[in-house]
Amino acid sequence: MKSASLLTLTCLLGSAAFMACAQDAEVRNRVVIVENVKFDYAQVLNVEPVFQTLRATRTEEHCEPVSTRTLAPVNVTGEEPQEEKGRFGRFMDSVRSIFKREDGRTEDMAPVVEAPAANNGPLLTRDCRIIPVGREFRRPIAYDVDYVYKGTKYRSRLPEDPGNRLKIRVSITPWVGAEQGSAANP
């Protein structure tokens, strides 16, 4: 029976000590510490954009230019090149134009038939091939801002460029720790 009462006494003393420690912690938890907040402005020293690089590839047709210096001149008007004619040649052309019909025949001549073009000259073929072309795009996604407030330099990453001044939130809260509680009560 002695051992049962001793065990009960030990439990009671242990729970009393635990309650005393819990009350000390509860005193700290019962007081709500209010945060003191004000807004102020800091001087911006430097702003560096942070870029996101996007890469894309697309295919394009790339053609080598054709040199036309070695080719014979091409008649683009469709008219026959005329050599310089004398007075008699010009007179014959004017008389011939009087006797021409609208279909291109003269009264005494057989129908004018154009000869098919001879493919004796070189054909102009372009040297083209499909090649991938890489593109790179950069866009700012954030800004690293260096600023000073009351003589202390800070650096923050912000979503926008703040300009010359940066609005900041200043918060002051007392720190309540274990060693502060023991130092306050000597």
Side-chain angles (χ1 to χ4, degrees):
M1 183 121 93
K2 251 185 177 186
S3 65
S5 59
L6 187 60
L7 180 62
T8 308
L9 182 63
T10 307
C11 288
L12 285 175
L13 288 175
S15 64
F18 178 74
M19 293 295 281
C21 290
Q23 282 181 346
D24 188 34
E26 279 184 35
V27 171
R28 287 190 196 137
N29 289 337
R30 277 190 268 158
V31 177
V32 176
I33 299 172
V34 178
E35 186 177 29
N36 298 309
V37 176
K38 73 174 188 169
F39 292 95
D40 204 355
Y41 288 92
Q43 180 65 40
V44 174
L45 300 174
N46 187 26
V47 177
E48 296 176 13
V50 177
F51 290 103
Q52 178 185 31
T53 304
L54 302 172
R55 290 181 178 85
T57 304
R58 69 178 191 181
T59 56
E60 290 182 356
E61 182 180 31
H62 180 70
C63 298
E64 295 293 326
V66 177
S67 175
T68 58
R69 292 183 183 179
T70 59
L71 300 176
V74 178
N75 185 4
V76 293
T77 61
E79 298 175 358
E80 290 294 322
Q82 295 184 2
E83 297 178 13
E84 193 62 37
K85 297 181 181 179
R87 288 184 182 169
F88 185 69
R90 285 193 303 258
F91 173 74
M92 288 302 291
D93 285 341
S94 65
V95 170
R96 196 175 297 140
S97 66
I98 294 172
F99 295 107
K100 265 192 182 177
R101 292 185 181 175
E102 288 184 17
D103 61 357
R105 295 188 302 165
T106 57
E107 295 293 331
D108 58 342
M109 295 177 65
V112 176
V113 178
E114 290 187 22
N119 289 334
N120 297 341
L123 296 175
L124 294 178
T125 58
R126 296 182 342 180
D127 183 22
C128 296
R129 60 180 183 262
I130 303 294
I131 59 170
V133 176
R135 302 238 174 184
E136 189 173 280
F137 303 98
R138 290 177 44 175
R139 66 177 185 150
I141 57 170
Y143 295 90
D144 286 336
V145 180
D146 295 327
Y147 56 97
V148 64
Y149 178 69
K150 294 202 176 188
T152 306
K153 291 182 183 178
Y154 300 95
R155 181 177 201 130
S156 297
R157 184 165 282 186
L158 302 175
E160 297 175 354
D161 187 352
N164 294 333
R165 295 184 342 155
L166 176 64
K167 187 173 184 178
I168 59 172
R169 179 180 181 263
V170 180
S171 169
I172 298 177
T173 306
W175 184 73
V176 179
E179 59 270 1
Q180 184 186 13
S182 63
N185 298 328

